[in-house]
Amino acid sequence: MSIEQSSAANDENIQEWTVEAQFAKDRLDKYVRECLDEQVSRSQIQLWIENGHIKVNGLQVKSNYKLSVNDIVALEIPEVSSVEIIPEDIPLDVYFEDQDVIVVNKPRGMVVHPAPGHASGTLVNALMFHCKDLSGINGELRPGIVHRIDKDTSGLLMAAKNDMAHASLAAQLKEHSVTRKYYALVHGNLAHDQGTVDAPIGRDPHDRKMFTVTEKNSKEAVTHFQVVERFGDYTLLELKLETGRTHQIRVHMKFIGHPLVGDPVYGRSKGIKMNGQALHAAVLGFMHPRTGAYEEFSAPLPQDMEELLAILRSR
């Protein structure tokens, strides 16, 4: 298995950004990393700059170039000769496995799939070692992956072992028939015991590494929430997704004034601390691609969230 990037002549591999006022005087390498949602390492970006794959206003500059308002930054993702994605003997918490599907409980901190500059230690590396064979529909970078959860979100995730299973699971996700329930600890005391956030999500025009509720270039996003436990200035919620937008729960909870505890991007700097957002994908249910039977799995809260809740209960 290898990371193969398409020819640079392909427009899909050319990205361009116009620098806005808040990014003026930022370093070029820092800016590009933020534009790429920090999915590519800074050293990889610096190498691209050094080799002329990232230019400013059509000119080759250095990594420490200080940006100005309205600078045009262009990235032409280079053709990569070959970077091996090596199967790695990383322990997996397997909840279900047969010839078609595997369901695992991903720990907080593990990246789901490799990206340029981040080719090891991911869930895909672990799945390749464990399963030997995964579906190829999603390309060589994401074998078997039909959906994802954020690096710092723990919980259940399903992967397809063959293309038949992949097509079935992807169709269920598209028609929103997959059961996905999360538990999240949020700041504040919600006014209602239950509710629905129906607000479209798109990229934040003021900060490209973030998403936000916006009507511009956005997609429908629906999150249902129910209060599980109240702690005065914190609330434990059960959340059910109808859609699966990037950072959906984190964005929607911030939108209603109750950001997730520990969220390094959408959270608050004050209050109790946690290494990553207090968000756990607790329930995953789907129709089995081969048998048609409904399968549902539940994973308990991770230890760090349980410890946090114990502290809140003891106050």
Side-chain angles (χ1 to χ4, degrees), residues 84-249:
E84 290 296 320
I85 301 178
I86 301 172
E88 296 177 57
D89 187 9
I90 302 171
L92 286 174
D93 188 6
V94 178
Y95 272 59
F96 173 81
E97 182 177 11
D98 66 4
Q99 61 180 317
D100 300 307
V101 182
I102 181 170
V103 176
V104 299
N105 185 18
K106 185 188 84 67
R108 187 187 317 283
M110 174 182 270
V111 174
V112 171
H113 57 76
H118 195 129
S120 65
T122 74
L123 178 63
V124 163
N125 294 95
L127 287 172
M128 288 175 61
F129 182 91
H130 181 88
C131 301
K132 313 301 180 189
D133 194 19
L134 294 165
S135 77
I137 289 178
N138 225 351
E140 295 188 21
L141 280 175
R142 306 178 183 186
I145 299 301
V146 291
H147 69 131
R148 59 181 294 277
I149 54 179
D150 294 336
K151 172 190 171 187
D152 287 329
T153 298
S154 59
L156 296 172
L157 187 143
M158 58 187 174
K161 288 187 162 185
N162 52 61
D163 290 354
M164 179 277 292
H166 193 124
S168 172
L169 296 174
Q172 293 178 55
L173 286 164
K174 187 176 181 180
E175 64 184 20
H176 306 153
S177 63
V178 174
T179 301
R180 287 180 291 174
K181 293 181 182 177
Y182 291 71
Y183 284 96
L185 183 65
V186 301
H187 287 274
N189 193 354
L190 273 73
H192 305 285
D193 285 338
Q194 59 185 18
T196 297
V197 184
D198 184 352
I201 290 176
R203 194 171 289 277
D204 189 334
H206 303 295
D207 189 337
R208 292 179 178 278
K209 71 178 181 180
M210 298 176 68
F211 289 82
T212 188
V213 170
T214 176
E215 296 290 339
K216 187 177 181 180
N217 298 323
S218 56
K219 294 181 179 178
E220 176 194 19
V222 180
T223 305
H224 305 283
F225 68 85
Q226 183 162 356
V227 171
V228 176
E229 193 170 359
R230 296 180 185 275
F231 305 97
D233 48 356
Y234 297 94
T235 307
L236 180 65
L237 299 177
E238 179 187 280
L239 303 114
K240 185 176 181 181
L241 297 182
E242 274 195 27
T243 53
R245 308 306 175 204
T246 302
H247 301 172
Q248 179 171 322
I249 291 175

Side-chain angles (χ1 to χ4, degrees), residues 45-62:
I45 291 169
Q46 290 170 345
L47 187 61
W48 285 346
I49 294 171
E50 182 180 338
N51 292 333
H53 297 296
I54 296 175
K55 295 181 178 178
V56 178
N57 303 322
L59 301 174
Q60 187 169 353
V61 296
K62 294 183 177 179

